Amino acid sequence: MDLSGPPFRADHVGSLLRPPQLGAAHEQMLAGQFGANELRTLQDRYIKEAIAMQESVGLHAITDGEYRRTSFHSDFIEKLEGAHSRGSLAPAAGQFGPRAFEVTGKLRHARAIEVENFLFLKAHTGRIAKQTIPSPTMLLRGGRDAVSREAYPDLAEFHADIAKVYREELRQLAAAGCTYLQLDDTNFAYLCDPKLRGVFREWGCDARQFADLINAALAERPRTMTVAIHLCRGNSAGHWAAEGAYEPIAEVLFNHVEVDGYFLEYDDARSGGFEPLRFFPRASRKKIVLGLVSSKRPNLESKGELKRRIDEAARHVPLDRLCLSPQCGFASGFRGNPLGEDDQRRKLERIVEVATEVWGSAR
């Protein structure tokens, strides 16, 4: 079985810490004190530096660090006609409440959202340009009350339109040359938490519904596009929103979500053990990317500890189907997590180093 290509043995989730000047300029832009064109010029400069950093540490999947975004999901969703942010939900389990969205009219993909950004990235790296976008499930928060009854008297039509707008964005990304796409999904991971699972149940959501929506969104992707999904229990300035093992979602996640790879958060006890990996379908070409390196704190994980945990996971999934990454991005929001750029680089270098020693290559 050919297991070459992404996800790579050493990979990463996508977002990177903003350099201080870029972070300050973004803050000023939000306050109306810095022009959008000036900010884009600054972003161009720092994205080139971020690309060079990723290449220099030995990564083969290269992102733009999500440097053009305020947050990993809201920028994308609010560019869909009919969808808007409505603040954050009250914390139900963890240290902060997740962002909520509302749909006030018919969803429409009025323009390409990430294509221009992807083309800039692709033009400045000779390696695989990896594009990240929020999962379509992120629009399923708040239940019936978060969706206009006038626009969508039947929620099945709403779900069909979510899939439709995502299919259009993926079509345009594929036409631009995107061969590696990652869906960032916190809703799926929130179902691991008993409290949040109860909230989603009240909204009429469950793991099978999430799987069906993701599959519908990916239904027309070309065979040349590898798609992975990243699950996260919340990542905001080093804080989290949920906890709980993968057991409640593992069977549906691994056997009914039609993706090629799973980036799984496994940096601390909040994610439970590796036992739910027993549901992984060994007959498929899928891969598990173990998020064993924390992007929330500066402490550098030891090679010995990372290798020990990879060995533990390999009791449930063949070693040749495993990869290594941080548990999440370093900056899900533009302000980033509480660690420094040197810490970030050392962690990425450690991932490449361990992957090379375990699998013989970072690819």
Side-chain angles (χ1 to χ4, degrees):
M1 183 181 293
D2 181 13
L3 295 174
S4 61
F8 294 106
R9 298 302 182 188
D11 216 312
H12 69 125
V13 171
S15 67
L16 298 168
L17 296 171
R18 298 345 182 230
Q21 185 181 355
L22 181 58
H26 198 118
E27 196 89 60
Q28 291 170 344
M29 183 274 293
L30 293 176
Q33 300 168 356
F34 202 92
N37 290 337
E38 296 170 288
L39 180 61
R40 189 166 188 89
T41 298
L42 198 61
Q43 290 166 341
D44 289 351
R45 169 189 156 192
Y46 282 114
I47 287 170
K48 291 176 187 177
E49 292 183 6
I51 291 169
M53 183 275 289
Q54 293 169 75
E55 292 177 345
S56 71
V57 302
L59 292 169
H60 294 278
I62 308 299
T63 76
D64 65 1
E66 300 180 8
Y67 278 6
R68 303 195 195 277
R69 303 186 199 178
T70 298
S71 80
F72 81 96
H73 57 345
S74 63
D75 294 61
F76 183 96
I77 290 173
E78 290 184 340
K79 288 184 177 69
L80 296 173
E81 191 173 294
H84 308 278
S85 175
R86 62 169 186 174
S88 298
L89 301 169
Q95 298 171 325
F96 70 92
R99 179 73 64 92
F101 300 96
E102 64 179 342
V103 175
T104 57
K106 288 284 189 178
L107 283 181
R108 194 165 73 91
H109 186 272
R111 58 192 170 111
I113 298 174
E114 287 291 342
V115 170
E116 183 180 357
N117 298 336
F118 172 77
L119 286 170
F120 182 88
L121 169 65
K122 186 172 182 289
H124 289 90
T125 181
R127 300 187 186 180
I128 299 294
K130 175 180 178 178
Q131 182 61 49
T132 65
I133 61 174
S135 170
T137 72
M138 305 302 286
L139 281 154
L140 301 184
R141 284 184 182 168
R144 173 73 268 189
D145 291 341
V147 181
S148 165
R149 286 177 169 81
E150 182 179 32
Y152 292 108
D154 182 354
L155 286 179
E157 185 182 355
F158 169 52
H159 294 169
D161 276 357
I162 296 174
K164 181 179 178 181
V165 299
Y166 266 79
R167 287 197 297 269
E168 178 58 22
E169 179 71 11
L170 264 63
R171 184 190 68 79
Q172 295 185 17
L173 283 168
C178 179
T179 60
Y180 186 13
L181 181 83
Q182 177 183 293
L183 301 176
D184 290 316
D185 196 309
T186 57
N187 280 359
F188 235 124
Y190 288 170
L191 294 180
C192 299
D193 191 298
K195 293 180 182 177
L196 283 167
R197 190 161 63 248
V199 171
F200 278 99
R201 188 180 298 117
E202 291 176 3
W203 291 340
C205 298
D206 60 24
R208 195 56 191 260
Q209 183 190 70
F210 289 169
D212 290 344
L213 179 59
I214 291 168
N215 292 342
L218 298 177
E220 297 175 4
R221 63 163 163 151
R223 295 179 64 181
T224 54
M225 180 184 283
T226 296
V227 178
I229 187 170
H230 164 238
L231 271 64
C232 174
R233 292 162 181 77
N235 180 25
S236 179
H239 299 301
W240 50 272
E243 57 187 339
Y246 291 101
E247 194 73 28
I249 64 171
E251 194 278 328
V252 171
L253 178 68
F254 297 139
N255 294 281
H256 298 283
V257 180
E258 296 171 5
V259 296
D260 305 295
Y262 303 88
F263 283 75
L264 301 182
E265 188 176 42
Y266 264 123
D267 63 320
D268 61 26
R270 284 185 308 112
S271 303
F274 296 121
E275 293 79 9
L277 299 183
R278 70 186 183 278
F279 290 103
F280 181 77
R282 294 178 177 229
S284 74
R285 294 183 65 256
K286 296 182 176 184
K287 297 178 186 176
I288 296 286
V289 187
L290 299 171
L292 302 178
V293 174
S294 177
S295 66
K296 294 181 183 292
R297 53 182 181 268
N299 313 65
L300 182 62
E301 290 78 2
S302 73
K303 290 199 299 181
E305 177 64 10
L306 292 175
K307 290 178 181 179
R308 183 187 67 78
R309 298 200 69 202
I310 291 170
D311 286 343
E312 287 181 3
R315 298 172 189 169
H316 306 280
V317 175
L319 182 63
D320 67 353
R321 311 293 283 284
L322 296 175
C323 306
L324 180 64
S325 77
Q327 116 280 346
C328 194
F330 290 92
S332 297
F334 79 96
R335 295 184 178 91
N337 284 349
L339 68 167
E341 291 182 75
D342 287 343
D343 302 318
Q344 174 182 256
R345 183 185 181 95
R346 281 193 291 269
K347 284 173 179 280
L348 293 174
E349 289 173 336
R350 178 56 48 90
I351 288 167
V352 170
E353 183 181 20
V354 170
T356 302
E357 293 181 8
V358 171
W359 291 285
S361 170
R363 292 182 67 93

